[in-house]
Amino acid sequence: MPKIDPKLCIGCRACSNACPSNAIVIKDDLIQGTRSIVLDLSHCIGCRACGEVCIKDAIEFIEEIELVSLSMGNLTEEVTLKLAKCPICGNFSEFTEKQIEEAKKALTDLPGEFIEEIMKYLPLCRKCRRRYLLMNASELSLLKFMLKAF
Amino acid sequence: MGKKIILIDLSRCIGCRACEVACEKFNGASKITVFELEDVLTMPLNCRHCEKAPCISICPTDALYTDEDGAVLLSPLKCIGCMMCAIVCPFGIPEFDELNKVMMKCDLCRDRRAMGLLPACVATCPTDALVYGDVNEVLPRKREYVAQKAIILSKEVGDVLLK
């Protein structure tokens, strides 16, 4: 039976995608800004697909578990993570804060100046990234440059 | 084989969204979006197929790779849908496919390139705002165009300020 380690889990929903019996469900609350990963053991078929895909090895398997319980609450595990807030528009984006931290750590292959540039984009939501890009597009920045020059 | 790119000419885009329709017709879901900036500008944006792509470097399962034309492709059999590529993409391009539970992104119309055709968005664009070609041919054209524009702009701005 799988067990999610809430310290390691970054909320990337890869396990939920892999689960063939929908035992792991992701629920996003865009008003409160939280993402909860709910594992329902009564649906689990023990195929270990979730552990195979987990990029942080946050799922461990316990061999002995008692599946008889008087309340359903005992058979579910829930991990709640915070969603990242876009600093420009203030809406919650579709990523968790831990995912962004993980991305910052994992980006090491690229040259330094690229990483610096990408770090600026990381906390922004999809829409604000495009807005930021358009504001810095070559033709517009040219216009800004011309206005400054005179 | 050189790297192939799609160049976006912002000043020619009229925001008709024909590229989105063509992409959806050919690929099933639109992988190019026209972004509007408060009635000032419209910008069609698809995957830029970066040379040093952050999505390739971060992918934990090596599902992203480049082909011989320099296009960044995604292998749906390897993808686990962890969204890391969407987080690091400066353009926010890879999107989650709810049906197949993997990511999906522009593949620079792989099937059409194999047939010797232009990508669907480029073939459709009525104003030639999207230009497809080898990076060594297209970029000098862009530089020339921007330089001409700078000369015109400097004259106009100069005229206004001198009055």
Side-chain angles (χ1 to χ4, degrees):
Chain A
M1 290 291 138
K3 186 165 175 42
I4 305 172
D5 188 340
K7 279 181 190 163
L8 288 176
C9 178
I10 58 168
C12 71
R13 73 184 189 180
C15 49
S16 162
N17 296 335
C19 185
S21 58
N22 284 343
I24 307 178
V25 183
I26 307 285
K27 286 173 193 159
D28 279 2
D29 186 344
L30 290 175
I31 299 158
Q32 297 289 323
T34 55
R35 166 175 289 181
S36 42
I37 298 111
V38 185
L39 165 61
D40 189 345
L41 288 178
S42 59
H43 286 259
C44 177
I45 56 170
C47 69
R48 303 194 175 202
C50 47
E52 220 167 89
V53 295
C54 185
I55 56 174
K56 294 295 288 175
D57 291 332
I59 297 176
E60 55 178 341
F61 295 93
I62 300 160
E63 292 298 329
E64 287 162 25
I65 194 162
E66 190 63 65
L67 267 180
V68 182
S69 173
L70 287 173
S71 72
M72 278 300 286
N74 294 349
L75 292 177
T76 55
E77 284 173 35
E78 193 170 336
V79 176
T80 310
L81 296 165
K82 271 187 192 166
L83 286 177
K85 199 172 192 175
C86 174
I88 294 181
C89 66
N91 294 331
F92 289 102
S93 62
E94 52 193 324
F95 317 122
T96 61
E97 285 175 355
K98 270 188 164 179
Q99 266 181 299
I100 290 174
E101 276 172 34
E102 176 62 24
K104 278 182 186 171
K105 272 185 230 160
L107 264 183
T108 45
D109 296 2
L110 299 168
E113 66 255 49
F114 276 23
I115 295 178
E116 269 174 38
E117 192 63 30
I118 291 165
M119 289 301 171
K120 285 183 206 162
Y121 285 99
L122 273 182
L124 306 186
C125 70
R126 237 176 248 266
K127 256 192 170 177
C128 292
R129 281 181 196 200
R130 289 177 186 180
R131 174 181 295 268
Y132 187 81
L133 177 83
L134 196 49
M135 298 301 269
N136 292 325
S138 61
E139 288 161 42
L140 278 184
S141 57
L142 184 70
L143 184 67
K144 278 183 205 159
F145 173 76
M146 300 303 297
L147 287 173
K148 266 183 205 165
F150 283 96
Chain B
M1 292 286 270
K3 186 176 161 54
K4 300 281 196 296
I5 57 164
I6 292 179
L7 178 74
I8 302 167
D9 189 342
L10 292 182
S11 59
R12 285 193 173 178
C13 179
I14 53 171
C16 66
R17 294 176 188 263
C19 46
E20 284 184 16
V21 177
C23 188
E24 193 164 340
K25 196 182 164 198
F26 196 79
N27 294 313
S30 179
K31 289 156 189 173
I32 182 165
T33 34
V34 177
F35 180 75
E36 288 178 21
L37 184 77
E38 282 112 27
D39 299 340
V40 182
L41 263 180
T42 52
M43 173 177 65
L45 188 67
N46 70 327
C47 175
R48 301 283 83 216
H49 300 281
C50 311
E51 212 171 321
K52 288 174 183 136
C55 52
I56 295 179
S57 93
I58 204 162
C59 184
T61 57
D62 294 330
L64 290 147
Y65 60 98
T66 45
D67 71 354
E68 73 278 3
D69 278 345
V72 179
L73 304 183
L74 183 133
S75 158
L77 293 174
K78 285 185 185 170
C79 180
I80 55 169
C82 69
M83 305 273 286
M84 289 312 261
C85 47
I87 295 171
V88 293
C89 179
F91 314 105
I93 294 294
E95 277 180 54
F96 189 65
D97 182 357
E98 287 289 345
L99 192 68
N100 299 317
K101 308 271 184 183
V102 290
M103 305 304 288
M104 58 175 188
K105 69 179 285 301
C106 166
D107 55 1
L108 212 61
C109 282
R110 193 182 180 182
D111 302 350
R112 288 180 65 98
R113 276 188 289 136
M115 289 189 281
L117 297 168
L118 287 172
C121 50
V122 180
T124 309
C125 186
T127 55
D128 289 339
L130 297 167
V131 184
Y132 174 78
D134 195 285
V135 66
N136 295 325
E137 290 170 20
V138 173
L139 274 188
R141 256 162 68 194
K142 185 196 174 186
R143 289 203 188 103
E144 197 180 319
Y145 166 79
V146 172
Q148 279 173 1
K149 199 154 199 179
I151 295 166
I152 298 167
L153 261 176
S154 65
K155 275 180 191 162
E156 283 175 3
V157 174
D159 286 350
V160 171
L161 290 178
L162 287 174
K163 268 174 195 174

